[in-house]
Structures are given as C-alpha cells and as structure tokens.
Amino acid sequence: MKEVYTVADLREWGSATADLAKPARLAVLGHPVIHSLSPQMHAAALDREGIPTTYVRIDVAPEEFSEALALMAQNGFIGANVTIPHKKAALEAVTNATEHARRMQAVNTIVFEADDTMSGFSTDGPGLVRAIREEFSLDLKDLRVLLLGAGGGAGRSIAVQCAIERCERLVLANRTLAKAQALAHELADDFRSDRLVGPGERLAAVALDSPALEKEVAAVDLIINATALGMKRTDPSPLPTRALSACHIVYDTVYANGSTRLVDEARAVGARAANGLSMLVHQGVLSYEIWFGHEPDVAIMRAGIASSPMRA
Ligand code: NAP
C-alpha cells in the first residue's frame, strides 16, 4: 500500500490499488496529507470488526478536489474525511450538508450515497465535546470558555459548537482581533441571556496580545488552544504562564508532539491539562458512526494511533 495516493491513481484505481487485500473505499483527502493519522486509527476499527475495506490517504490539490470526489463516487467509495485545505470546498461540493455543517461552514466527513448524491457532516465540534467529557468528566455547556485562535478553521468549529451547547461564557481571543470580533458578532444571538451569574459579558472578543486577556483568563474555567502555536516544539505558549492557575482546565487541540508548552506550564501550576489527541479520536469515531451506523471501539482506534510509526 502507498503512503499517499494521488488523483492520477484515482483515475486508474483498480491498478493503483491492485496490491491491497481489501479494496480502498475510505480515504482522507488533504494537501498535504502525509501526516494524517486517520488511516491507522480507522484501520484498527475496520480490522476489529472484519469490515473488508482499506482506508487510505489521497493528496488532492484544491483545483483537483471536484474531480477527486467524482472519481471516488465512480470507484465505489463508502465515504471520506476531508482535512486542510478542503473543508470549505467540501461543504460546497456535497449535495446535502447538515444544518450543523452549514453553520460550521465546513464539512470534514462525506458519505457517497447509493443514489449518487453526497452527504456532508462536520464532526470536529462534536468531537471536542466528547473529548472534554472524556478528559475532564465535564460538559462544555457548563463551562466558561476562553478560546485562543478564534480566527482559524478549528477555532471557528469550536466557537460555533460552544454556541450550540450554550456554554456559560465564551471569550474569543485571536492574534488578528478583527476575526474574533466578526465571529463574536455572528454568535451574539446565541449568548443573549443573563444566564451568567457574576460580572463580565457572556460573549467577548479580545486580541491575543492585549493586556485585557489576563483579566479574561481569571474569569474562565476552560482554556482551549486552537492556534497553530505548539505545532513546533520550539513554539512559545499562546498565554503568559502567570495567567494560569490550578483552577483552570486546559485543552490544547495541538497533538503533534505529545505535549505542548501550554500543557506543560498548565500542569506545572497544578491545572488539569490534555492535548488534542482525544479530539482527533472522537471526530474520527463520529465519522465512523456516520459511515457504518454504529459506534466503533474507541480504545481500539486510540491504540491504532499509538502504534503508528508516524506518531513516534
Ligand atoms: P488555521 O485555520 O490556519 O488557523 C490558525 C490559527 O492560529 C488562527 O487563529 C491564527 O491567527 C493563529 N495563529 C497562527 N500563527 C500564530 C502565531 N504565531 N501566534 C498566534 N496565533 C497564531 O488552522 P486550523 O486548521 O484552525 O488549526 C489550528 C490548530 O488546531 C492547529 O494547531 C491544529 O493542530 C489544531 N487542530 C486540531 C484538531 C484535533 O482534532 N485535535 C483538529 C483541527 C485542528 P490569525 O487569525 O491571526 O492568523
């Protein structure tokens, strides 16, 4: 099996995948996609259930995206995951997107339906909800949340999910303040109530480098990092350490290096902290549920990632 297939391979799918014992009928599409851990995670669940399907990576440039989907439909694919930079294009390409995916402005899970249509779903936000429950035994809806990186795709999914869950309080922080302000404007109706007891707005936007951020940190329970900071081992934390206290819960969506400076610094002050591996697992679990109609073995999927040589 190739580490990564291409659209040229999709055009000759029979010969390109002739060496596979089980036909490739599930894939993750991205550009680049070589680092995706989804194949290992889904292979573990497919093998456990004896489903005769291989899950592969396909590198698809933006201009090839529509052709790739058409070829996958022709080649009898069950479904696909979609990652950077295709989530918005996938929303536009599918025949039916859920209302939830439309609100997210993103599709990360596609089903190729029997009548040649495509359905689109977004599992990133619901995956985060399950991850927070698993890591901390808490529900997002009960928490005051500070979201760092509210200007990116992951940040948008998390912010909209917080709004859908009606979380207690949401502070949107971003390097480019205007993006956080625009998102706050969009979500304003979801936070129009006086449910919050105590001082402070239920919904606020703040710049990542503003002195006001530290004041906001003192009035939240859960801090989520959805910035790109932490992807490189040398990256600084997105928050000054002095802002953190033992009362905080910290969830870093970054999982590439096992731990991040934010997670290490949070643990050092006695806060509970976790990296984004559980969000990755649960968005995958939800995709699998959409394709096969039942929940896979979550522990098996997690073990599939842990045993991956790319993770080491
Ligand atoms: P994206 O769309 O490119 O957004 C990047 C975000 O990071 C923006 O808010 C950007 O701020 C901010 N940022 C970038 N460089 C920064 C810096 N040097 N200092 C401060 N802020 C900076 O990327 P994305 O797809 O949302 O991904 C963001 C993170 O989420 C990544 O670290 C990724 O690993 C993680 N993620 C995890 C999962 C999971 O399942 N665990 C899923 C998806 C994503 P500006 O708006 O100012 O540019």
Side-chain angles (χ1 to χ4, degrees), residues 141-181:
K141 68 175 168 50
D142 297 324
L143 299 171
R144 299 170 301 167
V145 180
L146 167 63
L147 174 62
L148 309 168
R156 180 184 171 83
S157 296
I158 292 167
V160 173
Q161 195 66 41
C162 285
I164 290 169
E165 303 291 321
R166 296 273 194 267
C167 76
E168 188 84 5
R169 174 160 202 260
L170 180 61
V171 180
L172 301 169
N174 201 47
R175 180 177 59 178
T176 311
L177 176 61
K179 291 191 204 169
Q181 286 172 326

Side-chain angles (χ1 to χ4, degrees), residues 84-150:
I84 296 170
H86 300 307
K87 290 184 185 181
K88 229 176 204 168
L91 175 68
E92 284 152 22
V94 297
T95 330
N96 311 296
T98 59
E99 195 187 324
H100 178 259
R102 285 201 298 273
R103 241 198 121 179
M104 294 290 176
Q105 293 178 8
V107 156
N108 77 334
T109 304
I110 292 177
V111 177
F112 295 96
E113 306 285 1
D115 63 358
D116 286 340
T117 61
M118 285 182 280
S119 301
F121 305 81
S122 175
T123 67
D124 286 334
L128 174 86
V129 174
R130 287 193 184 191
I132 297 296
R133 200 173 292 143
E134 177 190 286
E135 300 281 4
F136 308 116
S137 304
L138 290 167
D139 278 328
L140 200 56
K141 68 175 168 50
D142 297 324
L143 299 171
R144 299 170 301 167
V145 180
L146 167 63
L147 174 62
L148 309 168

Side-chain angles (χ1 to χ4, degrees), residues 211-234:
L213 182 64
E214 279 190 50
K215 212 171 120 227
E216 295 294 357
V217 177
V220 299
D221 311 299
L222 172 66
I223 299 165
I224 301 176
N225 177 40
T227 74
L229 289 174
M231 304 271 287
K232 288 190 267 154
R233 282 183 198 279
T234 51

Side-chain angles (χ1 to χ4, degrees), residues 2 27 34 37 48 57 80 86 93 101 135 154 159 172 231 235 310:
K2 284 190 188 180
I34 181 85
L37 297 171
R48 167 57 61 104
R57 298 182 190 87
H86 300 307
E135 300 281 4
L172 301 169
M231 304 271 287
D235 278 345
M310 293 181 88

Side-chain angles (χ1 to χ4, degrees), residues 39-308:
Q40 294 93 319
M41 176 167 69
H42 284 287
L46 293 165
D47 286 350
R48 167 57 61 104
E49 297 192 17
I51 296 175
T53 296
T54 303
Y55 185 118
V56 298
R57 298 182 190 87
I58 309 179
D59 195 311
V60 178
E63 63 277 14
E64 300 172 318
F65 188 68
S66 312
E67 184 190 359
L69 291 181
L71 289 167
M72 290 171 81
Q74 279 171 31
N75 285 308
F77 270 73
I78 297 165
N81 282 128
V82 177
T83 186
I84 296 170
H86 300 307
K87 290 184 185 181
K88 229 176 204 168
L91 175 68
E92 284 152 22
V94 297
T95 330
N96 311 296
T98 59
E99 195 187 324
H100 178 259
R102 285 201 298 273
R103 241 198 121 179
M104 294 290 176
Q105 293 178 8
V107 156
N108 77 334
T109 304
I110 292 177
V111 177
F112 295 96
E113 306 285 1
D115 63 358
D116 286 340
T117 61
M118 285 182 280
S119 301
F121 305 81
S122 175
T123 67
D124 286 334
L128 174 86
V129 174
R130 287 193 184 191
I132 297 296
R133 200 173 292 143
E134 177 190 286
E135 300 281 4
F136 308 116
S137 304
L138 290 167
D139 278 328
L140 200 56
K141 68 175 168 50
D142 297 324
L143 299 171
R144 299 170 301 167
V145 180
L146 167 63
L147 174 62
L148 309 168
R156 180 184 171 83
S157 296
I158 292 167
V160 173
Q161 195 66 41
C162 285
I164 290 169
E165 303 291 321
R166 296 273 194 267
C167 76
E168 188 84 5
R169 174 160 202 260
L170 180 61
V171 180
L172 301 169
N174 201 47
R175 180 177 59 178
T176 311
L177 176 61
K179 291 191 204 169
Q181 286 172 326
L183 190 53
H185 183 71
E186 182 185 328
L187 302 180
D189 281 348
D190 295 287
F191 289 88
R192 255 189 244 294
S193 91
D194 52 4
R195 188 178 144 205
L196 183 73
V197 180
E201 296 294 318
R202 278 196 68 204
L203 181 64
V206 62
L208 208 52
D209 61 358
S210 158
L213 182 64
E214 279 190 50
K215 212 171 120 227
E216 295 294 357
V217 177
V220 299
D221 311 299
L222 172 66
I223 299 165
I224 301 176
N225 177 40
T227 74
L229 289 174
M231 304 271 287
K232 288 190 267 154
R233 282 183 198 279
T234 51
D235 278 345
S237 170
L239 261 190
T241 318
R242 61 177 180 275
L244 293 168
S245 80
C247 320
H248 285 121
I249 307 156
V250 173
Y251 191 81
D252 198 331
T253 67
V254 175
Y255 55 81
N257 301 314
S259 188
T260 60
R261 195 158 292 186
L262 175 65
V263 167
D264 292 343
E265 289 180 356
R267 286 182 180 149
V269 299
R272 288 193 287 163
N275 78 3
L277 201 62
S278 44
M279 179 178 168
L280 175 76
V281 170
H282 284 289
Q283 62 77 31
V285 164
L286 287 158
S287 295
Y288 193 102
E289 281 181 40
I290 289 166
W291 296 322
F292 297 108
H294 63 270
E295 188 176 343
D297 186 326
V298 182
I300 287 283
M301 288 179 80
R302 196 188 318 276
I305 294 178
S307 65
S308 156

